[in-house]
Amino acid sequence: MHLLAGSTPFSPTRREELRAQLASRAASLIGSASNLPTSIPGLTLYRYTAPTLPDSVTYEPSMAVVVQGRKRVTLGRTSFDYGPSHFLLTSLDLPVTSQVIEASLEVPYLCLRLKLDIAMVRELLSRQPDLATRWHNSQPAMTTAETTAEFLDAFCRLIDLQRAPQDIEFMSELIQREIVYRILQSAEGQRLRSIASMGDSGQRTAKAVEWIRDNYRKPLRMETLAHVACMGVSTLHHHFRALTSMTPLQYQKRLRLHEARRLMLMDGHDAASAAFGVGYESASQFNREYSRAFGQPPLRDVRALRVVGDRE
C-alpha cells in the first residue's frame, strides 16, 4: 500500500499509540451497543464481540476505519479483508456482503465509518486542479488503503467532538475536509477523484448507478441508462462493470433483494408483498433469485436472521 503524498513518515510506535487512543475513545462512547450514530454528521461507530454471519448490505460512499478486530467485505468475486492497519474506501453505492471475521469479548471489533460528502470532494478538487487527474484503470470503486498516523490523528480529533457538542457545527466540517483531502492525495484516492470529477467516465457512470438506486423498482432499459450517463450502451456496460463488479441488471437485482430482505425482517412483510414492493412481477422468480443470493428461501432466511438477532 502507498503512503499519502506529502505526508510525514510517523514511527510505527506513534501510529499504534494513536490507534490505541482512538479505540479507547470509541469503546467509551459506544458502550455495549452494536452501533452508535454519533452527533457528528456522517460518523457512526460499530462494535461486535464475536464474528458475524455474512450480511448483504449496500455501502454508501464512505471511509471505514477498523481500530480493533478484522472485517471482510465482498464485492462481486473480490473480497477486501482489513483491520487496524488499513481502511476501506467506498466511492459509490455498492451492494456487498459484509462480515466481521475477528472479534471477541476481550477485544471487541471496533470500527468508525465516515460517510463521504461528494459535494465536498468536488469542491476540494475545484481548488486543487492538479488532483483532478483522469483515471483509466478498470478497477472497482472500492479499495483498501493504509491507515496512516495522519488519518488516526484526524479521527481522534473528530470523535472528541462528541464530548464537545458546541464545537461540532464548526469543527466537524474542517476535520472532515482534512480527511477527504488526505484521501484525495493518496494513490488509492484516484477512485474517488474519478467519481467526483465532472465529465470523467467514472462520474458519468456514477450517474447511472444513482439512477438505478433511485429507480430500482422500475424495469431497467439500457438505452435509458445510457442516456442518463451520456454514453453508448456498450461503453456504459464496460465502465459500470469495472466500477461495481456487476452488470447494471445484476446491480438492480442486488438492490431489490436487499430491500426485500429488509422489508421482511424489519417491517414484517411476507415474501409476496416484499417481492412486489421492490418491483418483481413474479413471486416464483423472486423466490428463486432470493434463494440463489442468500442460500435459502425468503421466509426460512428471515426466521434464521431473527433467531441470530435474539441471541445477540
Side-chain angles (χ1 to χ4, degrees):
M1 291 298 169
H2 302 272
L3 282 173
L4 296 177
S7 64
T8 303
F10 282 75
S11 69
T13 300
R14 176 57 177 158
R15 184 167 57 179
E16 182 57 26
E17 288 172 353
L18 287 166
R19 186 204 62 76
Q21 289 176 24
L22 188 55
S24 175
R25 294 172 192 181
S28 176
L29 285 174
I30 198 170
S32 60
S34 60
N35 67 81
L36 174 69
T38 70
S39 301
I40 302 158
L43 183 66
T44 303
L45 309 182
Y46 298 89
R47 173 184 178 273
Y48 290 96
T49 57
T52 64
L53 295 172
D55 188 24
S56 297
V57 296
T58 298
Y59 276 10
E60 297 178 298
S62 59
M63 175 184 181
V65 179
V66 172
V67 290
Q68 285 184 179
R70 293 189 67 80
K71 186 77 171 285
R72 175 174 298 145
V73 174
T74 302
L75 173 66
R77 296 182 179 180
T78 304
S79 291
F80 300 89
D81 287 16
Y82 61 105
S85 62
H86 293 85
F87 66 87
L88 182 76
L89 174 63
T90 306
S91 302
L92 278 176
D93 292 285
L94 295 173
V96 299
T97 300
S98 173
Q99 180 180 18
V100 174
I101 57 175
E102 185 179 305
S104 66
L105 282 171
E106 296 76 18
V107 185
Y109 167 86
L110 292 172
C111 175
L112 299 85
R113 178 176 296 278
L114 179 63
K115 182 179 177 180
L116 298 178
D117 183 345
I118 298 300
M120 179 187 292
V121 175
R122 290 199 178 106
E123 192 268 332
L124 286 174
L125 286 173
S126 72
R127 300 180 64 178
Q128 297 283 332
D130 56 309
L131 290 179
T133 54
R134 295 291 184 261
W135 175 46
H136 299 291
N137 275 336
S138 296
Q139 297 293 329
M142 175 176 279
T143 188
T144 56
E146 183 180 6
T147 305
T148 64
E150 291 94 339
F151 272 132
L152 293 170
D153 178 66
F155 270 93
C156 281
R157 286 182 277 118
L158 187 64
I159 199 173
D160 280 348
L161 295 177
Q162 185 72 7
R163 301 191 186 279
Q166 72 278 5
D167 296 335
I168 290 177
E169 183 175 1
F170 182 78
M171 294 299 298
S172 172
E173 182 178 351
L174 294 178
I175 299 171
Q176 291 193 36
R177 285 170 68 86
E178 175 189 344
I179 290 170
V180 170
Y181 173 76
R182 294 192 180 282
I183 293 174
L184 292 174
Q185 286 278 9
S186 71
E188 290 79 6
Q190 61 189 352
R191 292 163 172 80
L192 188 58
R193 296 196 297 270
S194 177
I195 298 302
S197 296
M198 301 302 292
D200 191 280
S201 61
Q203 185 267 337
R204 285 182 285 150
T205 305
K207 290 176 66 175
V209 169
E210 182 180 358
W211 190 92
I212 299 177
R213 185 195 65 198
D214 294 340
N215 300 277
Y216 66 88
R217 294 177 177 86
K218 299 178 180 178
L220 180 61
R221 294 180 175 85
M222 281 302 299
E223 294 76 11
T224 300
L225 203 60
H227 178 74
V228 168
C230 299
M231 289 181 177
V233 170
S234 61
T235 301
L236 173 60
H237 195 277
H238 169 75
H239 287 294
F240 197 103
R241 187 154 199 162
L243 283 177
T244 68
S245 295
M246 59 193 84
T247 67
L249 188 59
Q250 289 170 335
Y251 184 93
Q252 180 199 46
K253 186 185 299 184
R254 291 284 185 90
L255 292 183
R256 284 180 168 184
L257 292 174
H258 288 187
E259 176 61 10
R261 197 185 208 191
R262 189 197 68 80
L263 288 172
M264 290 185 291
L265 185 62
M266 306 302 295
D267 296 347
H269 287 234
D270 59 31
S273 65
F276 296 131
V278 299
Y280 277 91
E281 297 180 356
S282 165
S284 60
Q285 181 187 1
F286 169 71
N287 286 335
R288 286 195 304 272
E289 293 185 353
Y290 191 102
S291 299
R292 192 177 302 122
F294 300 123
Q296 53 187 345
L299 295 184
R300 190 186 306 168
D301 176 61
V302 170
R303 281 197 297 267
L305 289 172
R306 286 178 177 151
V307 169
V308 172
D310 291 341
R311 289 173 181 170
E312 293 178 349

